[in-house]
């Protein structure tokens, strides 16, 4: 499958084939990640997270295919690995990437804002703690672009309005927690 | 409505572009003015992005399940096991969780029946409530899946997942169910062993050729297996699976329906090759039995023919067991490519691992050699006390001896640990006895008299004097001196020399127990695999593994207990827990046991020697390459030096060639005129110079020959070449003439000058002129030189050809050129060989480093954080009479 085909499928929200295709990069990427400091459990996590970022990137309205998707993917993996080593205070263990990898790394680094990624990681952990029903509702609305009526039907809400109210309650909860934790992050950084 | 909620709503609508134009611009303005509102806006964007990411991640994890992710995520299996080893608290937590699922493996049900059956408690007296089992099962089941996921399985025996899960209107064995049963269908090739991983965590291993068709013949074509799991109370009720036996109520540990279909017809299982089934359970109950489910006419189930659980361990196919240290395979993979190896394979990993057997220090021969052990015990010193280092010695009063000789040895001595003149000083009643350490051992004579208290000092060049006064010694222990405390410098030196003790399980041992001979012992069980993974991480793993291997006839829990008794700390707890599981043994044919033991001893030694031999072969290959180069180098050097050092005695020459590795960069002899036997005297200033030999000749009569000068030249030299004396004499211009002095006709030496010559060279600005004359000095009285202009090259050429009779002047120049040429060729040859040599050595070093990296990975003693210790052992060497 060519990169162009992968991109158009992702943009058409047909993720299965692209994911399977991009997953062919996993065995070699896994070894690279381990070589540069990830452990067995972290390697697949980094890869999956990076694949998500790549898909997100491809879905951005201004996306242009300027490099090989595989190079970009491994670049994101390395970017995430470096952040991980830093978080685990293992930066000293970091070994300079080989030239080719370094190129990929910079490709990814240019595209990601570390501060924002950190905030997103916090929001992600917050979303993991909210109620399952909230999660589903928000996902149907924000990811699957379902209408509130469809959501009300699918999730057995008595009315569209009650689904809508529930949605905002869920959001309010997430915002409360986000405010609190992002403030802590701000204080820690400053 | 609350303001916060209102704001969120507005911002949500703003982002979705769901506001009127006016509202949009108002909102834009508010965002610019209010930092609070802007913060909510930013957070909302983040939340939406995070939700989207989460959804994509779910898809990534979902879709990749059928591709490589499943392979790799399952590869985490052994990793999870290794994680249990790292810290006690974590271990207990995880081990408990896993143990529950692992208990399923301890609830093996061997059934040769098709149809449904269950694990039930014998009576209703069990205090365990049914409800308490149900909700936990699911978690346990998922853990069970992980624990069963081993690397090798995914290479060779990948567990099969149901090809289809469907609710199917059917009556399993005539059972009237309330809900349509959920049937899992597996497609298997009955000729191979198949591992079926069911939805709720049940694992069924169907051995090769176990399925029979309707005629009782072994099935050879594709078989579909229908499985229905009822592990939870809701499923049991839904499927009308009551837990009754007559009037008695039973407690269920899980129910299962399985039916093979061969070519669409119901098949059965071979009685001689039962399936191995693991049903996850949260609480293992040894009182459970297997019951056969019989459906009555009304379609209700009744449990009959209880059979106590066969509490045997079940051997599984060797390829399902991971014998290598946890993580070794992935570590090796991460080191590739190396030399010719680009891709890894199970076979390559195994073979590399086995090759590490040679590096392990253990001596196969001494293991199990009890005589040796006894000898060693006898040699250990008598009780030694501390503060200060003293050892009372009892001497048999009947022995008429005055002096005892003791050997003081440093255990694990490594070269350079102590400088050669390190001394052991033993102070005994103010008298000193000393011994010099040679290769880590010193001998001291101690007088027999007044043998009460002995203080030992160690005098080292590296660290000065160390008094061994803070050592703690008990009756049966060897004295241990913590050198780190005494001598940090020494430690540093030792660290540099990279001496990590090797204490990993010898791969030859692993190779041995992986041989088919062990296939029917507990070595081939998952339970042993779990223990082996632990032993790989332990410093005395080899010794403890021996306990298992030497006690194949004992129950696993008995050996677990033996291991627990031998160790301390957290690992003891782990093995104690394992022992408490009361695991038994496989059904063992005791008659074969002796045979297996003998085989173990022989094979282990064989594999160990093989590994060693392979290493020797590899080293020999590198050595022979080096030797070949050394020979070539010696030949080149011999040729060169013998040519230029004809006088060098042949012995000396061969000695110098023998030293080639050290003198590989021999400098060639520097060619120089001064190497000739000339007198190095310039003779152009004051007429005759005292050239002893020539003057002596002339004293017996001389004759002067007049030589014309070049009138046009200001810078001119005329040389009288005295060929027989190997000397060039520059003549002095005397009023436009030169005078050459030759032996007179009466001089007995005159004959030597019958073909002598004169050479003139002049320079007028850049132009060189040359003149020469060959004449018989006995016959002429004057010589007129005829000059001609020449280039520098022509000059050299003329000088060279001037005297065919070995003229030194011309020859020395030519010689010199020749020598330079030779030297250059020699140096080029030598450099090429030396470079080749370096390459071979570098390659070998790289290989050694690679192997060392792998060894370090599997070596629990690598980078040991324990202080480096030197053990000093004092043994009574012999008694000497004086």
């Amino acid at each position: 499958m060519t990169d162009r085909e992968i991109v158009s499928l992702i943009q058409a929200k047909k993720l299965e084939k692209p994911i399977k295709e991009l997953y062919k990069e996993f065995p070699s990427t896994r070894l690279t990640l381990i070589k540069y400091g990830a452990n067995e459990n972290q390697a697949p996590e980094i890869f999956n997270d990076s694949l998500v970022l790549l898909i997100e990137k491809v879905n951005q309205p201004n996306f242009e295919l300027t490099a090989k998707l595989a190079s970009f993917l491994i670049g994101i993996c390395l970017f995430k690995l470096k952040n991980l080593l830093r978080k685990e205070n293992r930066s000293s263990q970091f070994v300079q990437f080989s030239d080719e990898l370094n190129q990929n790394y910079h490709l990814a680094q240019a595209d990601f804002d570390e501060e924002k990624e950190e905030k997103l990681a916090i929001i992600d952990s917050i979303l993991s703690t909210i109620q399952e029903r909230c999660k589903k509702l928000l996902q149907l609305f924000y990811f699957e672009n379902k209408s509130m009526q469809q959501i009300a039907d699918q999730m057995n809400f008595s009315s569209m309005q009650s689904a809508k109210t529930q949605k905002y309650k869920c959001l309010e909860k997430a915002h409360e927690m986000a405010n609190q934790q992002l403030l802590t992050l701000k204080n820690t950084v400053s | 409505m609350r303001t916060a909620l209102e704001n969120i709503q507005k911002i949500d609508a703003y982002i979705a572009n769901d506001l009127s134009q006016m509202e949009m611009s108002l909102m834009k303005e508010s965002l610019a003015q209010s930092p609070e509102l802007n913060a909510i806006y930013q957070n909302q964007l983040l939340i939406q992005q995070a939700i989207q990411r989460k959804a994509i991640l779910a898809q990534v994890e979902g879709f990749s399940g059928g591709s490589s992710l499943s392979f790799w995520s399952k590869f985490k299996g052994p990793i999870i096991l290794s994680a249990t080893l790292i810290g006690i608290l974590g271990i207990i937590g995880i081990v408990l969780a896993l143990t529950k699922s692992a208990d399923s493996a301890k609830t093996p049900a061997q059934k040769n029946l098709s149809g449904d059956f269950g694990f039930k408690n014998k009576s209703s007296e069990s205090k365990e409530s049914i409800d308490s089992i149900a909700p936990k099962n699911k978690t346990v089941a998922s853990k069970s899946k992980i624990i069963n996921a081993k690397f090798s399985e995914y290479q060779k025996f990948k567990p099969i997942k149901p090809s289809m899960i469907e609710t199917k209107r059917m009556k399993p064995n005539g059972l009237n169910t309330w809900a349509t049963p959920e049937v899992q269908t597996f497609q298997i090739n009955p000729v191979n062993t198949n591992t079926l991983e069911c939805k709720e965590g049940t694992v069924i291993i169907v051995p090769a050729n176990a399925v029979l068709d309707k005629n009782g013949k072994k099935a050879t074509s594709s078989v579909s297996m229908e499985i229905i799991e009822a592990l939870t109370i809701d499923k049991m009720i839904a499927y009308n699976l009551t837990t009754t036996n007559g009037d008695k109520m039973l407690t269920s540990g899980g129910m299962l329906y399985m039916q093979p279909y061969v070519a669409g017809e119901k098949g059965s299982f071979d009685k001689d090759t039962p399936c191995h089934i693991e049903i996850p359970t949260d609480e293992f109950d040894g009182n459970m039995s297997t019951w056969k489910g019989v459906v009555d006419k009304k379609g209700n189930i009744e449990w009959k023919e209880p059979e106590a659980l066969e509490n045997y361990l079940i051997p599984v196919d060797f390829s399902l067991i991971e014998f290598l240290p946890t993580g070794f395979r992935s570590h090796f993979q991460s080191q590739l490519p190396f030399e010719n190896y680009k891709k890894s394979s199970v076979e390559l990993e195994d073979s590399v691992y086995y090759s590490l057997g040679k590096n392990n220090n253990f001596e196969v021969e001494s293991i199990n050699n009890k005589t040796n052990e006894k000898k060693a015990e006898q040699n250990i010193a008598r009780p030694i006390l501390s503060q200060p280092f003293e050892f009372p010695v009892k001497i048999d009063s009947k022995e008429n001896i005055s002096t005892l000789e003791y050997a003081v040895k440093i255990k694990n001595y490594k070269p350079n640990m102590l400088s050669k003149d390190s001394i052991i000083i033993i102070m005994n009643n103010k008298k000193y006895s000393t011994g010099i350490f040679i290769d880590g051992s010193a001998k001291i004579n101690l007088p027999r008299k007044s043998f009460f208290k002995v203080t030992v000092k160690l005098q080292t060049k590296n660290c000065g004097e160390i008094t061994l006064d803070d050592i703690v010694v008990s009756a049966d222990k060897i004295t241990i001196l913590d050198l780190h405390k005494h001598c940090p410098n020494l430690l540093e030196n030792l660290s540099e020399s990279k001496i990590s003790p090797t204490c990993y399980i010898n791969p030859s041992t692993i190779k041995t127990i992986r041989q088919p001979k062990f296939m029917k012992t507990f070595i081939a069980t998952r339970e042993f695999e779990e223990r082996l993974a632990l032993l790989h991480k332990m410093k005395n793993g080899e010794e403890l593994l021996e306990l298992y291997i030497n006690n194949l006839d004992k129950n696993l829990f008995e050996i677990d207990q033996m291991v627990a008794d031998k160790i301390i700390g957290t690992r003891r707890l782990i093995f104690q827990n394992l022992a408490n599981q009361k695991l038994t043994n496989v059904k063992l044919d005791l008659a074969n046991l002796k045979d297996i033991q003998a085989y173990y001893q022989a094979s282990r030694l064989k594999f160990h020697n093989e590994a060693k031999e392979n290493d020797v072969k590899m080293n020999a290959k590198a050595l022979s390459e080096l030797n070949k180069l050394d020979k070539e180098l010696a030949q080149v050097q011999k040729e060169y030096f013998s040519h230029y050092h004809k006088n060098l005695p042949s012995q000396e020459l061969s000695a110098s060639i023998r030293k080639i590795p050290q003198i590989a960069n021999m400098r060639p002899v520097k060619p120089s005129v001064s190497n000739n036997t000339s007198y190095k005297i310039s003779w152009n200033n004051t007429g005759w110079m005292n050239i002893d030999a020539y003057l002596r000749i002339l004293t017996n009569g001389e004759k002067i020959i007049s030589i014309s000068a070049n009138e046009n030249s200001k810078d001119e030299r005329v040389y009288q070449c005295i060929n027989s004396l190997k000397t060039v004499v520059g003549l002095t211009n005397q009023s436009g003439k030169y005078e050459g002095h030759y032996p007179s006709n009466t001089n007995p030496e005159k004959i030597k000058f019958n073909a002598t010559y004169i050479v003139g060279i002049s320079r007028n600005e850049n132009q060189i002129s040359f003149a020469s004359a060959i004449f018989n000095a006995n016959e002429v009285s004057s010589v007129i030189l005829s000059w001609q202009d020449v280039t520098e090259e022509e000059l050299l050429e003329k000088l060279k050809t001037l005297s065919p009779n070995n003229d030194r002047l011309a020859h020395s120049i030519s010689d010199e050129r020749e020598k330079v040429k030779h030297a250059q060729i020699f140096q080029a040859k030598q450099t090429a060989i030396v470079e080749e040599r370096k390459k071979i050595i570098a390659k070998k070093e790289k290989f050694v480093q690679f192997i060392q990296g792998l060894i370090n990975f599997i070596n629990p003693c690598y980078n040991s954080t324990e202080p480096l210790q030197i053990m000093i052992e004092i043994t009574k060497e012999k008694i000497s009479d004086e």
Side-chain angles (χ1 to χ4, degrees):
Chain A
M1 199 186 284
T2 65
D3 275 4
R4 291 217 171 274
E5 285 167 336
I6 294 176
V7 167
S8 22
L9 282 171
I10 290 176
Q11 287 169 344
K13 305 260 179 210
K14 290 174 183 166
L15 296 184
E16 182 170 356
K17 277 185 185 170
I19 290 170
K20 284 185 175 167
E21 185 66 24
L22 290 166
Y23 233 93
K24 288 177 184 167
E25 299 299 322
F26 180 67
S28 62
T29 310
R30 173 182 158 275
L31 293 181
T32 307
L33 290 171
I34 289 173
K35 187 175 172 183
Y36 285 100
N39 66 32
E40 282 290 354
N41 294 331
Q42 289 165 339
E45 278 171 20
I46 292 176
F47 187 85
N48 282 353
D49 287 348
S50 303
L51 195 45
V52 171
L53 294 200
L54 179 74
I55 292 170
E56 186 184 68
K57 169 91 192 147
V58 171
N59 274 326
Q60 280 171 7
N62 52 356
F63 174 76
E64 273 178 47
L65 192 62
T66 51
K68 276 181 74 179
L69 286 176
S71 307
F72 198 66
L73 178 60
I74 191 167
I76 306 173
C77 286
L78 297 175
F79 170 76
K80 289 201 84 82
L81 172 70
K82 217 173 163 180
N83 282 351
L84 180 85
L85 291 180
R86 204 185 51 232
K87 269 186 208 160
E88 293 183 354
N89 291 323
R90 290 201 288 143
S91 292
S92 59
Q93 287 175 21
F94 171 71
V95 184
Q96 193 58 47
F97 298 129
S98 70
D99 287 352
E100 193 192 337
L101 291 180
N102 209 30
Q103 220 173 343
N104 295 339
Y105 168 76
H106 286 298
L107 195 68
Q109 196 197 24
D111 257 301
F112 291 98
D113 174 351
E114 285 182 35
E115 198 187 323
K116 190 179 169 193
E117 288 304 315
E118 209 156 331
K119 284 181 183 170
L120 276 165
I122 289 172
I123 304 281
D124 181 67
S125 65
I126 289 170
L127 290 176
S128 305
T129 61
I130 66 170
Q131 280 182 359
E132 204 54 45
R133 201 167 158 78
C134 271
K135 234 183 283 180
K136 192 174 179 189
L137 196 161
L138 295 177
Q139 192 175 312
L140 285 173
F141 186 80
Y142 290 112
F143 180 69
E144 292 182 27
N145 297 328
K146 294 260 167 81
S147 72
M148 283 322 289
Q149 187 56 55
Q150 284 171 314
I151 294 172
D153 293 344
Q154 193 177 331
M155 293 187 69
N156 295 328
F157 281 103
S158 55
S159 66
M160 186 186 89
Q161 191 51 41
S162 108
K164 213 170 177 179
T165 313
Q166 187 58 40
K167 176 190 147 194
Y168 287 119
K169 275 187 181 169
C170 293
L171 273 180
E172 191 186 22
K173 183 80 190 152
H175 271 272
E176 259 174 39
M177 288 161 81
N179 277 337
Q180 217 169 14
Q181 297 200 24
L182 291 176
L183 194 69
T184 320
L185 172 76
K186 202 177 164 186
N187 292 339
T188 324
V189 173
S190 60
Chain B
M1 197 185 278
R2 296 184 297 274
T3 331
L5 201 59
E6 265 176 34
N7 284 339
I8 292 171
Q9 276 191 13
K10 275 187 205 162
I11 283 168
D12 187 40
Y14 173 70
I15 294 171
N17 210 357
D18 217 3
L19 297 174
S20 68
Q21 210 169 356
M22 187 184 275
E23 283 171 325
M24 287 293 275
S25 53
L26 275 174
M27 192 64 190
K28 211 172 181 179
E29 215 169 290
S30 308
L31 282 173
Q33 283 167 2
S34 160
E36 290 82 18
L37 201 62
N38 193 42
I40 297 173
Y41 169 69
Q42 296 297 340
N43 284 355
Q44 178 65 21
L45 287 177
L46 288 173
I47 288 170
Q48 285 182 210
Q49 193 173 358
I51 289 168
Q52 284 164 356
R53 278 190 184 181
K54 238 182 167 47
I56 300 172
L57 182 65
Q59 292 205 21
V60 164
E61 287 174 347
F63 288 141
S64 59
S67 62
S68 16
L69 176 63
S70 64
F71 172 92
W72 293 105
S73 63
K74 276 163 190 179
F75 184 45
K76 285 182 192 171
I79 304 297
I80 287 171
L81 277 182
S82 82
T84 65
L85 303 175
I86 291 160
I88 280 199
L89 291 175
I91 293 162
I92 304 292
I94 295 167
V95 162
L96 284 177
L98 290 179
T99 308
K100 284 172 189 168
S101 64
D103 279 342
S104 62
K106 295 149 217 154
T107 320
Q110 286 180 298
K111 279 280 167 186
N112 45 30
L113 302 163
S114 56
D116 43 8
F117 60 86
F119 296 112
K120 296 183 175 224
N121 209 319
K122 278 176 184 164
S123 75
S124 58
E125 285 157 20
S126 164
K127 287 172 187 168
E128 191 179 15
S129 89
I130 295 171
D131 291 338
S132 69
I133 305 175
K136 293 180 189 169
N137 266 341
K138 220 163 191 177
T139 3
V140 170
S142 67
K143 295 275 186 194
S144 175
K145 279 180 196 171
I146 294 168
I147 201 169
N148 283 309
K150 301 290 177 206
F151 180 79
S152 50
E153 291 175 36
Y154 288 87
Q155 294 281 309
K156 286 180 177 172
F157 288 85
K158 192 173 173 182
I160 304 168
K161 291 201 169 180
S163 58
M164 193 163 57
I165 301 177
E166 54 175 349
T167 46
K168 197 168 162 185
R169 291 213 169 274
M170 65 180 290
K171 286 186 172 184
N173 274 29
L175 181 73
N176 275 334
T177 61
W178 297 114
T180 323
E182 191 180 62
V183 182
Q184 302 169 42
T185 308
F186 295 81
Q187 293 299 333
I188 63 170
N189 179 353
V191 178
N192 301 331
T193 296
N194 290 279
T195 306
L196 315 184
E197 193 180 287
C198 303
K199 196 182 158 200
E200 302 298 329
T202 303
V203 173
I204 303 166
I205 300 175
V206 185
N209 302 315
V211 181
L212 305 177
D213 64 15
K214 64 172 182 178
N215 302 320
K217 286 184 180 168
K218 282 181 181 170
T220 49
S221 58
S222 177
V223 166
S224 54
M225 282 278 289
E226 281 189 357
I227 311 279
I228 304 172
E229 286 175 292
L231 309 185
T232 53
I233 199 78
D234 54 324
K235 283 277 169 69
M236 290 177 194
I237 296 168
Y239 298 160
N240 188 21
L241 292 164
T242 51
T243 55
T244 52
N245 166 239
D247 297 336
K248 291 178 188 167
M249 280 180 67
L250 302 167
T251 301
S252 176
M255 301 176 195
L256 195 68
Y257 166 86
M258 52 193 261
Q259 176 64 58
Y261 285 88
V262 186
E265 305 265 8
K266 279 187 180 179
S268 59
F269 292 110
D270 188 342
K271 284 182 184 175
D272 296 329
T273 45
C275 298
H276 173 61
I277 301 163
E278 297 179 4
I279 293 188
T281 172
D282 65 334
E283 290 290 339
F284 175 70
D285 183 346
N287 291 324
M288 291 265 177
S289 317
T290 53
W291 297 66
K292 189 181 173 188
V294 178
V295 181
D296 63 17
K297 284 176 187 170
K298 290 178 187 169
N300 295 325
I301 199 153
E302 181 80 355
W303 299 98
K304 301 215 164 149
E305 298 172 31
E307 277 175 36
L309 276 183
E310 286 182 351
N311 208 10
Y312 291 115
L313 304 179
I314 307 295
V316 295
D317 194 293
F318 262 157
S319 11
L320 296 174
I321 306 258
E322 177 56 283
F323 279 88
L324 273 50
T326 308
F328 177 81
R329 293 182 194 280
S330 53
H331 176 75
F332 175 74
Q333 289 159 20
S334 71
Q335 302 303 305
L336 295 186
F338 180 76
E339 289 191 351
N340 297 330
Y341 300 111
K342 291 194 172 64
K343 279 187 178 174
S344 189
S345 67
V346 176
E347 289 74 18
L348 176 65
E349 287 153 15
D350 287 346
S351 134
V352 169
Y353 172 71
Y354 296 147
S355 77
L356 305 179
K358 67 180 191 300
N359 293 64
N360 196 311
N361 282 342
F362 92 124
E363 286 301 323
V364 181
E365 293 85 345
S366 72
I367 290 175
N368 296 324
N369 187 340
K370 289 189 175 160
T371 335
N372 275 356
E373 273 170 26
K374 274 187 185 165
K375 267 188 196 167
E377 273 169 31
Q378 283 164 358
N379 278 341
I380 290 175
R382 300 190 56 79
I384 302 168
L385 305 171
S386 62
Q387 300 283 343
F389 186 75
E390 54 186 39
F391 53 104
V393 179
K394 271 186 194 169
I395 299 166
D396 189 346
S397 56
K398 287 173 196 164
E399 286 187 62
N400 183 23
I401 45 163
S402 56
T403 307
L404 293 176
E405 191 173 77
Y406 279 83
V408 178
K409 285 178 188 167
I410 291 182
K411 283 227 158 183
N412 302 329
Y413 176 79
K414 303 276 175 194
N416 305 326
M417 199 179 258
L418 293 175
S419 53
K420 277 182 184 166
D421 43 2
S422 295
I423 295 171
I424 187 96
I425 303 166
I426 296 199
M427 205 169 77
N428 173 29
N429 275 2
K430 295 183 184 172
K431 283 182 183 172
Y432 291 91
S433 300
T434 58
I436 296 175
F437 272 104
I438 297 164
D439 293 336
S441 126
K443 287 186 179 177
I444 317 155
N445 289 311
L446 295 179
R448 184 187 171 190
K449 287 173 192 168
S450 316
F451 220 113
F452 300 118
K453 213 177 190 183
V454 183
T455 305
V456 178
K457 287 183 178 183
L458 184 64
Q459 207 174 61
T460 71
K461 224 181 181 182
N462 330 39
C463 301
E465 193 171 278
I466 302 168
T467 305
L468 313 184
D469 57 1
D470 63 342
I471 40 186
V472 180
V473 187
S474 64
D476 55 350
K477 278 185 189 166
I478 296 166
T479 308
I480 294 172
L481 167 66
D482 180 357
L483 263 197
H484 184 240
K485 209 186 255 178
H486 290 286
C487 186
N489 296 342
L490 181 59
L491 182 72
E492 211 168 88
N493 293 340
L494 291 174
S495 310
E496 275 171 17
S497 61
K498 289 176 191 166
I499 48 157
S500 283
T502 51
C503 60
Y504 54 96
I505 292 178
N506 194 308
S508 303
T509 308
I510 299 297
K511 189 174 178 182
T512 310
I513 59 172
R514 210 178 181 182
Q515 299 305 308
K517 273 269 183 202
F518 290 86
M519 254 162 37
K520 289 181 177 169
T521 69
F522 63 64
I523 300 290
T525 62
R526 292 187 183 287
E527 291 76 13
F528 175 74
E529 178 186 38
E530 187 185 352
R531 282 146 182 84
L532 182 60
L534 289 164
L535 295 175
H536 271 305
K537 300 270 178 186
M538 293 164 71
K539 290 183 180 177
N540 49 349
E542 178 86 27
E543 185 197 336
L544 301 173
L545 175 60
E546 287 270 313
L547 288 175
Y548 287 96
I549 300 166
N550 290 334
N551 294 294
L552 289 173
D553 55 330
K554 290 201 167 68
N555 286 320
L556 210 51
F557 77 86
E558 292 175 75
I559 315 169
D560 292 338
Q561 190 61 54
M562 286 158 81
V563 172
D565 291 344
K566 269 192 170 271
I567 53 179
I568 50 165
T570 57
R571 307 231 196 252
R572 183 190 162 83
L573 274 177
I574 295 172
F575 276 89
Q576 191 59 59
N577 278 334
L578 291 175
N580 293 343
Q581 291 173 4
K582 294 282 174 209
L583 294 189
T584 56
N585 202 334
V586 295
K587 250 184 183 172
L588 198 64
D589 183 355
L590 287 173
N592 283 335
L593 199 63
K594 219 173 169 184
D595 183 29
I596 294 174
Q597 296 287 6
Y599 173 83
Y600 169 70
Q601 298 299 346
S603 298
R604 185 158 169 268
L605 188 59
K606 187 182 123 204
F607 291 140
H608 183 69
N609 289 341
E610 268 175 19
K612 269 187 169 172
E613 275 165 27
N614 280 339
D615 192 46
V616 169
K617 271 185 206 163
M618 280 182 74
N619 282 334
K621 195 186 161 207
L623 269 179
S624 92
E625 282 172 8
L626 286 180
N627 282 340
K628 198 181 150 204
L629 286 174
D630 285 348
K631 275 183 191 163
E632 277 177 35
L633 187 59
Q635 187 58 32
V636 170
Q637 289 180 338
K638 191 178 169 187
E639 277 169 17
Y640 180 75
F641 288 103
S642 60
H643 186 73
Y644 288 101
H645 287 276
K646 279 182 182 137
N647 296 331
L648 200 63
S650 62
Q651 268 185 344
E652 210 178 301
L653 184 68
S654 58
S656 71
I657 287 165
R658 273 202 301 275
K659 288 181 194 162
I660 279 166
Q662 288 80 39
I663 54 166
N665 269 320
M666 252 184 176
R667 289 171 64 82
V669 173
K670 194 180 172 192
S672 158
V673 182
S674 64
N675 263 356
N676 293 342
T677 47
S678 74
Y679 295 103
K680 292 177 258 180
I681 287 167
S682 103
W683 198 8
N684 58 353
N685 293 327
T686 55
W688 288 98
M689 286 290 289
N690 184 9
I691 298 175
D692 194 27
Y694 194 54
L695 285 179
R696 268 204 311 276
I697 292 166
L698 295 180
T699 50
N700 291 330
E702 65 169 335
K703 133 179 202 191
I704 294 169
I705 293 174
S706 157
I707 299 145
S708 65
N710 186 356
E711 289 169 3
N712 300 326
S713 173
K714 287 173 189 170
D715 181 13
E716 174 193 65
R717 295 276 183 278
V718 171
Y719 302 93
Q720 177 188 352
C721 299
I722 308 163
N723 44 2
S724 62
L725 289 182
K726 300 167 187 172
T727 287
V728 178
V729 180
L731 302 180
T732 310
N733 191 330
Q734 291 172 344
S735 320
K737 277 186 178 176
Y738 298 91
E739 283 182 353
H741 296 242
Y742 295 90
S744 70
N745 285 347
T746 55
N747 193 314
E749 299 279 346
K750 69 168 185 178
I751 193 77
K752 288 182 183 169
F753 294 88
N754 57 2
T756 185
Y757 62 90
I758 293 284
V759 168
I761 303 170
S762 71
R763 186 191 296 272
N764 204 354
E765 291 183 351
N766 285 330
Q767 181 57 56
I768 300 170
S769 299
F770 175 80
S772 67
I774 301 172
F775 53 93
N776 187 337
N778 303 322
E779 292 172 0
V780 300
S781 54
S782 66
V783 174
I784 296 168
L785 291 174
S786 145
W787 296 84
Q788 67 179 102
D789 291 348
V790 290
T791 62
E792 204 173 310
E793 285 72 29
E794 285 167 340
L795 169 72
L796 291 171
E797 207 49 44
K798 282 183 181 295
L799 290 172
K800 201 172 163 186
T801 54
L802 191 62
S803 172
N805 302 327
N806 199 20
D807 174 74
R808 298 305 299 179
L809 179 67
H811 217 81
S812 63
I813 293 167
S814 146
D815 267 3
E816 193 158 339
R817 286 188 153 190
E818 199 66 13
K819 273 188 185 176
V820 170
K821 203 171 152 192
H822 270 201
Q824 280 169 345
I825 293 170
F826 164 69
Q827 197 132 38
K829 278 186 187 172
Q830 184 175 256
T831 310
I833 296 172
V834 169
E835 285 307 314
E836 187 63 23
R837 218 174 173 281
K838 277 185 192 163
K839 263 189 214 165
I840 292 173
I841 292 172
K843 194 179 166 191
K844 182 77 190 159
E845 274 172 0
K846 205 175 155 195
F847 180 77
V848 168
Q849 267 178 10
F850 178 77
I851 294 295
Q852 193 56 48
L854 296 176
I855 288 174
N856 292 346
F857 184 83
I858 62 169
N859 183 10
C861 291
Y862 176 65
N863 266 347
S864 163
T865 49
E866 286 171 22
L868 193 72
Q869 291 176 332
I870 284 189
M871 286 194 279
I872 295 203
E873 182 188 76
I874 299 192
T875 57
K876 195 156 77 171
E877 188 92 319
K878 66 178 181 188
I879 299 169
S880 64
D881 284 325
E882 259 188 14

